């Protein structure tokens, strides 16, 4: 495998062979079989992409600057079990696609700047993040697996959407994960900490689950800006932290007309309601409605049956809608407003 090192001797153009020093062969623009090294560029030209580029592995060393210019690096293999090793500065928008066949590691967090859209796209790829990672815009797992490192408790932040395709997997291990929204047709093995949802996708869902969600006894905290929908049948701890008192967040099942919260339900702010009248909702733990929270807001969205097995503490508004059966098996501590419409 060729080691191809940037020397910037000609200019800033990635596509100019005169900027590369290739071991054992005539200098060339990197190919999908080259281990690419970007060394310290503080005293030489910075490489600037002019189109999407392939490589075998991608090593960006300390004090290097790579200018993405809106293009993508596709990594096909690895070097010493590392597909991407970033200790550098990313300037401009640099996208990344991993097509590595097998287990590999990714160190995506450099000195400054982040990869923009990141794609995991090989059925045999099992990629593990080696650092706390922020992805600007979207994370798409088309095929294969992406894991955070459980032993180091690294967090993953995605400023855009997380899309998990059928057959693909995202595993949070012990790390905190934050994303704009989750669209899951594959498998999301959640963190045992907190998954934070900060927005929604264009279809109006902050969480759209048609695959498999393993909650791992963790918490999902919905903190989106718009009114939005949540499609899921099983949570452990569920927290609603809306951006305004009047913001509506609606639940609907992903299967069997049943939504189960195995841990606690907390409505810290906003209006929690159900989307369809056929869904049954069961909360096994305690329910806490804060002073600026509302449970089951809209009478037109009433559920057939709601069951609280734990204590309901209401400091805000708890609304029992017309035609709804509510079982409070753990009792209610009523300090707010209880309405029956």
């Amino acid at each position: 495998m060729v080691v191809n090192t940037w020397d910037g001797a000609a200019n800033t153009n990635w596509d100019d062979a005169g900027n590369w020093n290739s071991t054992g062969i005539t200098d060339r623009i990197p190919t999908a079989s080259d281990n690419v090294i970007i060394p310290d560029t503080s005293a030489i030209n910075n490489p600037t992409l002019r189109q999407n580029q392939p490589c075998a592995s991608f090593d960006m060393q300390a004090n290097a600057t790579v200018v993405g210019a809106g293009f993508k690096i596709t990594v096909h293999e690895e070097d010493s079990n590392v597909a991407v090793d970033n200790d550098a500065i990313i300037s401009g928008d640099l996208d990344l696609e991993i097509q590595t066949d097998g287990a590999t590691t990714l160190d995506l967090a450099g000195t400054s700047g982040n990869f923009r859209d990141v794609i995991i796209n090989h059925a045999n790829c099992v990629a593990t993040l080696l650092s706390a990672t922020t992805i600007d815009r979207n994370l798409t797992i088309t095929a294969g697996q992406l894991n955070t490192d459980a032993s180091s408790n690294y967090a993953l932040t995605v400023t855009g959407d997380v899309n998990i395709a059928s057959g693909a997997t995202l595993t949070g291990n012990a790390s905190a994960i934050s994303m704009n929204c989750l669209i899951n047709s594959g498998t999301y093995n959640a963190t045992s900490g907190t998954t934070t949802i900060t927005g929604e996708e264009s279809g109006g869902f902050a969480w759209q689950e048609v695959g498999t969600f393993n909650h791992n006894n963790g918490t999902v905290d919905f903190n989106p800006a718009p009114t939005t929908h949540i499609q899921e049948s099983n949570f452990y701890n569920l927290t609603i932290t809306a951006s305004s008192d009047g913001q509506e967040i609606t639940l609907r099942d992903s299967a069997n007309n049943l939504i189960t919260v195995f841990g606690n339900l907390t409505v810290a702010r906003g209006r929690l309601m159900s989307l369809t009248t056929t869904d049954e909702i069961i909360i096994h733990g305690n329910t806490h409605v804060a002073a600026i929270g509302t449970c089951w807001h809209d009478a037109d969205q009433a559920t057939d049956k709601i069951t609280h097995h734990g204590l309901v503490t209401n400091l805000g508004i708890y609304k029992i809608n017309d035609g709804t059966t509510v079982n409070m098996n753990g009792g209610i501590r009523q300090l707010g407003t209880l309405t029956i419409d």
Side-chain angles (χ1 to χ4, degrees):
M1 192 173 292
V2 173
V3 175
N4 207 345
T5 303
W6 173 268
D7 61 22
N11 47 52
T12 63
N13 187 358
W14 182 290
D15 292 318
D16 189 333
N19 289 314
W20 295 96
N21 184 357
S22 310
T23 57
I25 61 170
T26 303
D27 292 347
R28 69 182 188 192
I29 302 167
T31 70
S33 60
D34 291 2
N35 290 330
V36 170
I37 297 175
I38 312 297
D40 180 351
T41 61
S42 57
I44 60 175
N45 288 314
N46 297 322
T48 301
L49 273 68
R50 306 292 177 88
Q51 60 183 333
N52 296 337
Q53 296 290 350
C55 62
S57 67
F58 193 34
D59 182 4
M60 297 178 288
Q61 298 182 349
N63 298 315
T65 295
V66 177
V67 182
F71 295 106
K72 178 173 66 178
I73 296 288
T74 300
V75 178
H76 293 268
E77 300 180 46
E78 61 181 3
D79 182 33
S80 302
N81 198 41
V82 181
V84 178
D85 188 0
N86 178 23
D87 295 306
I89 299 166
I90 295 176
S91 176
D93 296 323
L94 180 59
D95 299 341
L96 177 67
E97 182 169 352
I98 305 298
Q99 295 186 2
T100 306
D101 182 3
T104 191
T105 54
L106 306 173
D107 188 355
L108 303 186
T111 305
S112 66
N114 303 307
F115 286 99
R116 189 176 60 168
D117 289 321
V118 174
I119 301 172
I120 308 298
N121 189 19
H122 196 293
N124 296 328
C125 181
V126 181
T128 300
L129 294 171
L130 289 179
S131 57
T133 300
T134 296
I135 296 171
D136 291 335
R137 221 157 67 176
N138 301 327
L139 167 64
T140 302
I141 308 176
T142 304
Q145 301 178 36
L146 178 64
N147 307 316
T148 60
D149 186 351
S151 63
S152 301
N153 198 30
Y154 291 130
L156 171 62
T157 300
V158 181
T159 66
D161 303 343
V162 172
N163 293 269
I164 308 172
S166 177
T169 301
L170 172 63
T171 298
N173 291 317
S175 306
I177 294 183
S178 175
M179 64 189 79
N180 182 61
C181 73
L182 176 71
I183 303 101
N184 179 31
S185 299
T187 299
Y188 175 41
N189 297 314
T191 166
S192 59
T194 299
T195 300
T196 302
I197 306 296
T198 60
E200 65 174 9
E201 49 85 36
S202 57
F205 283 86
W207 181 289
Q208 190 167 29
E209 171 67 72
V210 294
T212 300
F213 170 52
N214 297 313
H215 58 66
N216 198 24
N217 293 347
T219 298
V220 180
D221 182 8
F222 287 91
N223 188 13
T227 293
T228 193
H229 303 310
I230 300 167
Q231 183 180 14
E232 177 58 68
S233 289
N234 300 286
F235 288 104
Y236 189 72
N237 293 324
L238 173 61
T239 300
I240 306 299
T241 312
S243 58
S244 66
D245 301 357
Q247 181 185 344
E248 296 178 351
I249 297 178
T250 59
L251 289 174
R252 63 169 296 179
D253 73 293
S254 57
N256 303 319
N257 295 323
L258 175 64
I259 300 168
T260 304
V261 178
F262 292 97
N264 299 324
L265 169 64
T266 302
V267 183
R269 189 179 190 185
R271 297 172 175 176
L272 179 64
M273 47 199 275
S274 58
L275 187 62
T276 61
T277 59
T278 56
D279 285 342
E280 181 181 0
I281 301 175
I282 300 174
I283 299 97
H284 287 277
N286 296 326
T287 298
H288 179 81
V289 184
I292 52 176
T294 301
C295 237
W296 322 128
H297 166 67
D298 194 335
D300 294 331
Q301 305 282 352
T303 56
D304 177 61
K305 186 176 180 182
I306 300 171
T307 300
H308 297 272
H309 288 298
L311 174 66
V312 177
T313 301
N314 178 35
L315 306 179
I317 299 173
Y318 191 105
K319 188 173 184 181
I320 301 176
N321 297 310
D322 187 27
T324 303
T325 300
V326 177
N327 298 305
M328 296 188 178
N329 298 334
I332 182 169
R333 184 170 181 260
Q334 171 57 34
L335 300 172
T337 301
L338 179 64
T339 66
I340 301 176
D341 290 341

